[in-house]
Amino acid sequence: MHPLRLHSLVARCLAAALLVATSGLSAAPKQLSLKYDLLQQGVTIASVKDQLTVTGNKYQIDSLAEGKGIYKLMGERTLSSQGDVADNSLRPAHFESRQSKHADKALISDFDWGKKVLKMQVKGEQQSEKLSKGTQDLLSVMYCWMWQPPKGKQVKLAVTNGKKLSPHTFVVTEESTPLQTEAGTFNVIKLTDSDGEKILYLARDKGYLPVKLVVTDDGKRMEQVITSITGQ
């Protein structure tokens, strides 16, 4: 796979940065360090490290992806999201996506909730979109379920990947078979994006925390699965 193609797939899976909690965790965590494996067709091609910190009503999420083997050529890829914990949900204020090999392709988004405007800097050019309640970024969308679990059979929200703002509809279903990972075995519900390309598994017994993401792109199956967690 061409390194640039891998960048895109990793980005989508990081939209995915997966989060699990320890058995004693009964509320949203204050600080967590996480590690994941990113697999393509069952073969590990990258590792992902996430750091989540919540201080008062502020949150900070940082994610680092590094290719393994021949995929080291992709360099490092970082995502960061910061903002407020408000009205029992995450409310992003600033989002960045950066690639060490392509500094000129940095994506920067700022959320102006007062004016209800999302400002996006794409390759140095400015774009803006109308900001609706509940909008998330590529990284915060994976963590927002800790504060606001999915309700009903469908959940709708807008998500920015730094380039554009898109509406998403997730179909919610329950899985009868527990999901086994290196981090443990979890009873899960499944969120399937209406585009049919992404499936997110949330652990019901761990506060609806994501434990696995599956992305299908051009017939290739990508999975990001939790391998370890430390923190509280």
Side-chain angles (χ1 to χ4, degrees):
M1 176 184 293
H2 192 280
L4 290 179
R5 187 60 173 167
L6 177 62
H7 298 164
S8 175
L9 291 174
V10 170
R12 298 181 67 183
C13 282
L14 282 177
L18 304 176
L19 179 66
V20 293
T22 58
S23 59
L25 188 62
S26 59
K30 299 300 182 182
Q31 186 169 358
L32 291 173
S33 297
L34 308 135
K35 294 181 180 180
Y36 320 95
D37 278 343
L38 182 63
L39 302 92
Q40 176 182 293
Q41 303 296 95
V43 178
T44 302
I45 62 173
S47 61
V48 180
K49 296 179 182 179
D50 275 16
Q51 180 72 37
L52 167 68
T53 303
V54 178
T55 305
N57 65 343
K58 301 291 184 180
Y59 80 87
Q60 173 77 39
I61 310 170
D62 296 292
S63 185
L64 170 67
E66 299 176 288
K68 291 186 175 183
I70 62 173
Y71 297 102
K72 286 185 177 180
L73 295 174
M74 67 177 283
E76 296 180 352
R77 190 182 191 288
T78 62
L79 298 177
S80 66
S81 175
Q82 56 185 273
D84 301 322
V85 179
D87 299 325
N88 200 37
S89 64
L90 294 188
R91 188 170 64 183
H94 185 78
F95 170 74
E96 293 189 13
S97 173
R98 297 181 181 274
Q99 179 70 42
S100 63
K101 297 290 186 179
H102 302 278
D104 58 328
K105 295 184 178 181
L107 303 175
I108 301 173
S109 299
D110 288 297
F111 298 69
D112 189 332
W113 292 100
K115 296 181 179 180
K116 297 182 179 180
V117 175
L118 173 66
K119 300 177 181 178
M120 295 175 286
Q121 180 177 314
V122 183
K123 299 180 182 179
E125 297 184 0
Q126 298 290 333
Q127 300 179 144
S128 63
E129 296 277 357
K130 182 178 179 180
L131 190 58
S132 60
K133 183 179 180 180
T135 297
Q136 300 294 323
D137 60 52
L138 193 63
L139 193 53
S140 68
V141 69
M142 304 310 299
Y143 291 80
C144 65
W145 313 108
M146 292 187 294
W147 285 267
Q148 198 167 71
K151 298 178 180 180
K153 296 182 178 180
Q154 288 189 346
V155 178
K156 296 183 179 182
L157 52 80
V159 181
T160 177
N161 61 3
K163 293 181 180 180
K164 62 181 180 179
L165 182 64
S166 303
H168 288 261
T169 299
F170 296 94
V171 177
V172 183
T173 56
E174 292 192 15
E175 292 288 280
S176 58
T177 303
L179 178 67
Q180 296 184 354
T181 73
E182 288 187 31
T185 300
F186 307 98
N187 295 313
V188 298
I189 63 171
K190 184 169 65 174
L191 300 187
T192 304
D193 202 338
S194 58
D195 63 13
E197 296 181 348
K198 294 175 286 294
I199 303 174
L200 177 64
Y201 296 81
L202 304 176
R204 287 184 297 149
D205 46 355
K206 302 299 180 184
Y208 296 94
L209 304 176
V211 290
K212 181 179 179 180
L213 177 79
V214 178
V215 177
T216 303
D217 186 83
D218 288 342
K220 293 184 174 60
R221 180 184 175 91
M222 304 287 290
E223 297 182 28
Q224 186 167 318
V225 185
I226 192 71
T227 58
S228 70
I229 179 172
T230 57
Q232 58 182 3

